[in-house]
Amino acid sequence: MDQNLAKKGFLPYLEFAMRDRTLPLDALVTLVSGDMEAVLNQPYPTGELSGIYSKLFFESYAGGTAQKNKMTLWEVFSRYFNPLEENIIPVLSNDPVTLFRLQGNAYFQGDKMVGMLSPEETLITSIVTNKMFPFEIETAQKMDVRIMNSKSSIHVKMINNKPFIRIRAKTTMTLMDSARGIHIDPSELEASINKLIEERANKVFKRTQKDQADIFRLGNYFRSILPESSYNHWPELYQQASIDFKLESKLKNTGLQIMKNPTD
């Protein structure tokens, strides 16, 4: 679906296709930026069906699944008809080498696109929603680590008629490499990752709250707290919510550290 159409409201088009049984429920949904017709429709020399590469792009073995945010048609409609959560859908563009390039992930308020997260910012949604896949991230200390897994716990309550959301996440990391000559202090590296992701998370929360787009599915935690008549007001409540996010990272091993050559 074209990105410009998403800004005007595109889900009614998908709903028609879904009810007409022209699209299966497990079909993947993406937005495209620019001319993608040649990529999506061209036959492939080895005999694959047209469009098969676009599906393979989202498989876990293709890498970067946390960034790509794989979404099926059923998930899109589930979120669209649930006032306690909003959609976040990947945006692809044409790449002359790899066919597809991930531009980011568009997020919605209802059926309209209201903003977009970068691939790095999408990591926050993966951590909060416990949909984490191995993900590489570069720290400010010029060290590359791979976040192998994460687990988050969420506690919510209402204070003075405003939502209070407490998120505690734990991640396990492994060091991939470091700049030449840098000594690794595990506790400093863990603290650096914590600070980097917490700052990024706070920016993402602030932006999505401004746009009333709960892409983290946090509203679902208030089902037993709010009366059902208040569900449709969740976008406004999310905008007013106080979100306390803390991360605890654990470095399991240091991998292969590139040390300075004594003869240099």
Side-chain angles (χ1 to χ4, degrees):
M1 190 66 63
D2 187 83
Q3 183 179 0
N4 293 326
L5 181 59
K7 295 177 181 178
K8 302 176 183 178
F10 80 109
L11 283 172
Y13 294 88
L14 287 181
E15 183 175 8
F16 173 80
M18 180 178 176
R19 295 185 183 279
D20 197 42
R21 304 299 177 91
T22 58
L23 286 176
L25 294 180
D26 62 349
L28 300 185
V29 179
T30 69
L31 300 177
V32 297
S33 177
D35 185 9
M36 298 280 284
E37 183 176 356
V39 177
L40 297 175
N41 294 331
Q42 69 180 0
Y44 299 112
T46 51
E48 295 93 339
L49 295 174
S50 177
I52 190 65
Y53 288 170
S54 57
K55 183 175 179 62
L56 293 177
F57 179 78
F58 288 97
E59 294 299 330
S60 58
Y61 51 76
T65 307
Q67 298 168 287
K68 294 174 184 175
N69 185 44
K70 181 178 179 180
M71 291 292 293
T72 65
L73 180 62
W74 174 250
E75 289 176 299
V76 170
F77 271 92
S78 174
R79 294 190 178 199
Y80 174 61
F81 287 107
N82 181 1
L84 300 176
E85 57 184 321
E86 298 291 349
N87 272 299
I88 175 170
I89 300 176
V91 180
L92 304 182
S93 60
N94 188 8
D95 187 281
V97 177
T98 61
L99 293 184
F100 302 104
R101 177 184 296 131
L102 179 70
Q103 287 197 341
N105 285 274
Y107 60 86
F108 289 71
Q109 210 287 308
D111 69 339
K112 294 184 180 181
M113 174 182 168
V114 292
M116 190 163 76
L117 301 182
S118 68
E120 293 76 19
E121 290 172 327
T122 307
L123 171 66
I124 306 303
T125 66
S126 301
I127 291 177
V128 174
T129 59
N130 287 314
K131 295 178 67 175
M132 185 69 224
F133 284 83
F135 185 98
E136 287 188 22
I137 184 170
E138 184 176 350
T139 74
Q141 297 180 348
K142 298 182 180 180
M143 300 181 192
D144 293 334
V145 300
R146 181 182 291 272
I147 301 178
M148 301 305 298
N149 54 66
S150 70
K151 177 68 175 179
S152 68
S153 60
I154 300 175
H155 301 277
V156 302
K157 58 184 176 181
M158 296 294 291
I159 300 178
N160 296 326
N161 296 320
K162 293 185 179 181
F164 178 82
I165 303 168
R166 180 178 180 270
I167 305 172
R168 295 294 180 265
K170 295 183 178 181
T171 63
T172 301
M173 309 177 300
T174 182
L175 182 68
M176 302 300 292
D177 60 61
S178 65
R180 191 177 292 271
I182 291 182
H183 173 71
I184 296 175
D185 184 321
S187 61
E188 289 184 5
L189 180 57
E190 291 166 355
S192 177
I193 290 291
N194 293 341
K195 180 180 179 182
L196 180 67
I197 295 181
E198 286 174 1
E199 290 178 349
R200 186 182 302 165
N202 289 331
K203 291 179 181 179
V204 172
F205 287 133
K206 184 177 181 180
R207 195 190 320 162
T208 57
Q209 284 185 276
K210 179 182 178 182
D211 294 328
Q212 299 184 359
D214 179 10
I215 56 176
F216 303 96
R217 312 180 70 180
L218 298 172
N220 292 311
Y221 290 88
F222 286 87
R223 283 187 178 277
S224 61
I225 300 177
L226 295 173
E228 187 174 353
S229 58
S230 298
Y231 288 0
N232 287 330
H233 298 290
W234 175 247
E236 293 88 351
L237 290 171
Y238 175 67
Q239 188 177 45
Q240 303 170 15
S242 174
I243 303 178
D244 178 23
F245 176 85
K246 297 295 182 184
L247 179 69
E248 178 184 341
S249 299
K250 181 66 176 179
L251 187 65
K252 297 289 289 187
N253 59 64
T254 56
L256 297 175
Q257 182 178 2
I258 304 176
M259 300 299 294
K260 185 176 181 180
N261 192 324
T263 59
D264 288 350

